[in-house]
Each structure stands twice: as C-alpha cells, then as structure tokens.
Amino acid sequence: MGGRRGRDAVRGGGERVLNRGDSAARTAAGPRLPSGPDRPRLVAVADSESYLKWAARLLDRLGDFDTRLVLMDTPILPAAAQIEAATAGTSWAGRRPAVIGRRGLAALLTELGPHIVLAAATGPVVQQIHATAARLRPRPGLVSGLPGVGLPATGKGARYRRLGDAFLTHSHREAAEYARVYAGLRLPAEILTTRLPMLESQAPPAARGGADGVRRLVFAPQAKVPVRREQREAVLRALAAWAAAAPGREAVVKLRSREGEQETHHEHVSYRELLAQLRAAGEAGPQVREGYGPMSDFLTPSSALVTVSSTAALESLDRGLPTAIISDFGVDDEMLNEAFAGSGTERTLAQIAAGDLPFASERWLEENYFHAEDGELERGLALLALRARERQLPGLRRQAAMQDLRRVRAELRTLAPAPVVRAYRAGAAAVRGLSR
C-alpha cells in the first residue's frame, strides 16, 4: 500500500488548510465549537477517485472545522485528470492534494495534531489510517464512511473499521442496517446519518421532464457488476438501440478512468474494449461514445441516466432527470442495487431501448437518501472533536497493534512462502502473550 514506490515523505504542492467562516447553519443543540485559529482540525485521507469526490464535498459542508485533504499512496491512487474531475465544483478544485505514504501519514498527523481523522478510503486502507491515527497522543476521533450507496451492510467492511468512533451513512435505512451489523460484531461506533454531499436538492426532487424529451442517455458503469462479458455487451447493445431509434440522440458510456488509470475497484471486463469491439462489428454506431470528466457535465437538461447500481443514479434523481436501474441481472445484494428495489426506477434493457425511462416514486425518495437534513452530522462531529480536545476518548494503542497484525497477516498470506507465514504466526503469538 503506502510507500509502494519508496516515497513515504509528503509530496505534491497542493495540500492546504481552509479557514472558512463560521457555518451559518450551526445547529443550536450541538456543542459550541471554538472560532478562529482555535477551531477543531479535521484531516481527511482519501485513496481513490470515488472517495476523493465524496471527501471533497463532505469537507466543504464543515465550515466550523479547519480541514485538510490528502491522498494515500496506494495502487488505486487517482491520476491528475481523475483528481480534477473528483474535485470539480468544490473548494478543492484546481489543487492537487499531497500524496503521502504510510510513514508520511504518521509524520503528518503528528505535526497537525488533528481532532478528527476521516478515513475516506477502502476498507484495508481505513484499517491502516485508523491504526496510525490511534497511536497519536492525544488521540483524535476516528471516522469513516462510504462514498455512495452503502447497501448491503457487511460484517467484512465493519471489521476493517473496527477502531472507528463514528461511521457515516446516507439514509435512515442504511443507518438501521449498519447499526444492526455493528451491534452484532459488538463494535461501539456511533452511526451518523447525513445526506450524500453531492446531492443538492432541499426536499425530495420532482421529475423535471419526461422520457420524450431525452436526447442524451448516460450510462454509469460500475467495476464490480454485472460480472459476465455477455451481460455488459447486452447493456451496450441496448444503448445503441436507443440511440439509433431517433435522430439527434446520443448515448454516453461515462467512464471513470482512461487507459492506464485506476479506479476504486478493478474492472475485469472493460466497457472501453467492449464498445470498440461492437463498433468494429457494426453493432454500435457513432451515436454511442465514451465520456470522461465530472458526472455533472453529463447530467444536464434533456439527459437521462441508466445504471446497474452506480451512485450516479442518486445524482441524476437529485436533478429531476429520468433514471433507470437495469433489472435484467437482478435488483438485489448481488448486484449491489438492492437499495433501489421498489423505487419505481427498475427497467429491463428492452424497456430502456424502447425509451421507457422512469423517475423514482416520492415515497421511495423520502425513505432513501433524500431525507431532510437535521444537523446530525455536524452535531456528531462537533461532539467527537470536543471529546478529542478534552482527552476524553479511550486509548486504542493495543487495538491498533492488533489491527496491524491482521493487516500484515493478510499481506503475508498472499505474498510470502509458507515458512515465512509460520514464522510470523509464532512471532504474533509471542506478542499477544506479552500484551496480556
């Protein structure tokens, strides 16, 4: 992970502390935070383009904090173009966050003395970030979350975040599911609910146009689903059929990475390659093209969105655009889109190709992701920062050491020969015996 190219020092000239004015939306019921230079400090560490997009927008909401945003040096580190797209429309736009390695993170956190560390990262990297931050004295509050639709809630993900004081969810349904998982694992993190920071509507959005006026159909792929090649080809053929059905239409496969760039999750079957093959075979015309850059550039009036499970569906609904969840492969946990079951957006590829592009039901919108904000995030983080400032958070140094043992064990299982693994296990047993 960190330091994979031997660069553990902070590099890059873009890191900064934002000194914003007091938030006009401070909730009276929450703790009163110091103003000016004494405001609590929050450091967010992201590891990929999707988490960077989430973190940049989330930090822009926290006007009562001095915030810093950095990137962790991992194999999924976003390229310059991905950073630009992820931070577009935020106060971080135009700057490249510093990139730090494992030892660099420890040095940076020691220097800054944050009151909260937000691990905006995939599970194994959250584990590393939190274990590093837990060694600080005084210890900061440890927070994590997911950059989009967080269902299904899994024990595996929660275990990576077992050191956390708080976990951020984006709907009341998500909060209930994660509370159940955390309780089952006897993990004491507080579950906080807030809207996804990329959603701008103040109330459940209403449709702003019907399918008849759609001239651009945007497909938002996901790396994990669907898995099979023929399923992905079927999606592209449906897009091509819709685009060819009327003049002036275009279908855009909105990709998150160009050739050679990395994403949060590895894609085994590339839509870029599949589209090129369909073009060569005459099954997709010039009306079907690839698109890159911020999703907001594509979610414009007269556009609609199609996806299997991407969070971009929520961004599309937020703008009142027709939005379809592809149902051919299932609307369930396996397709990572179970949250959209019963939303009214489920459509087959045949329906989409025929121009049946729906909008979500008002009831579903109110119950899923478009709830009214009540300041829970701001109150929860303010209280956590206050507890860190007052040295009220329990020590986690021993738990952090155990997390490091788990991480090293996982790495050795995949990288080391059997004799080395046996030697490690013997050493780990000795460490546990000394710590009792």
Side-chain angles (χ1 to χ4, degrees), residues 3 28 45 48 68 84 100 137 169 190-192 209 233 235 295 312 320 345 347 350 353 357 368 387 389 393 410 413:
V45 187
S48 62
R68 180 166 292 195
E84 182 179 355
I100 56 178
R137 290 183 175 173
T169 63
E190 182 178 8
I191 308 299
L192 299 176
E233 289 176 341
V235 172
M295 178 58 77
T345 62
R347 291 294 187 275
L357 301 171
N368 297 270
R387 292 182 64 202
R389 185 188 290 271
L393 297 176
R413 282 175 176 169

Side-chain angles (χ1 to χ4, degrees), residues 406-423:
R406 293 185 182 98
R407 175 183 56 78
V408 174
R409 182 187 305 152
E411 291 175 354
L412 287 176
R413 282 175 176 169
T414 58
L415 299 176
V420 175
V421 174
R422 287 194 294 270

Side-chain angles (χ1 to χ4, degrees), residues 169-316:
T169 63
H170 301 110
S171 76
H172 296 302
R173 180 181 175 188
E174 282 190 3
E177 288 295 309
Y178 279 96
R180 178 184 58 79
V181 170
Y182 272 71
L185 295 172
R186 301 181 69 181
L187 299 178
E190 182 178 8
I191 308 299
L192 299 176
T193 304
T194 182
R195 266 202 184 197
L196 277 164
M198 54 278 285
L199 303 183
E200 300 177 354
S201 58
Q202 298 302 310
R208 297 181 180 176
D212 292 342
V214 174
R215 313 311 298 166
R216 175 197 290 153
L217 187 58
V218 181
F219 171 58
Q222 273 201 307
K224 287 186 172 183
V225 293
V227 176
R228 298 201 305 272
R229 179 189 187 92
E230 59 269 23
Q231 294 172 324
R232 296 186 169 217
E233 289 176 341
V235 172
L236 295 178
R237 290 191 178 97
L239 296 177
W242 178 88
R249 288 182 175 182
E250 68 166 355
V252 178
V253 181
K254 199 301 189 170
L255 301 174
R256 289 182 169 184
S257 61
R258 293 174 171 83
E259 191 71 37
E261 296 177 344
Q262 302 300 318
E263 298 182 21
T264 305
H265 301 289
H266 178 66
E267 186 175 47
H268 295 287
V269 183
S270 166
Y271 279 104
R272 185 186 300 105
E273 295 175 2
L274 291 178
L275 182 55
Q277 293 168 8
L278 290 181
R279 285 190 186 121
E283 296 184 65
Q287 306 100 320
V288 186
R289 66 177 179 89
E290 302 166 14
Y292 301 93
M295 178 58 77
S296 58
D297 290 352
F298 299 91
L299 297 181
T300 57
S302 76
S303 296
L305 184 123
V306 173
T307 187
V308 173
S309 61
S310 173
T311 301
L314 300 180
E315 297 183 64
S316 177

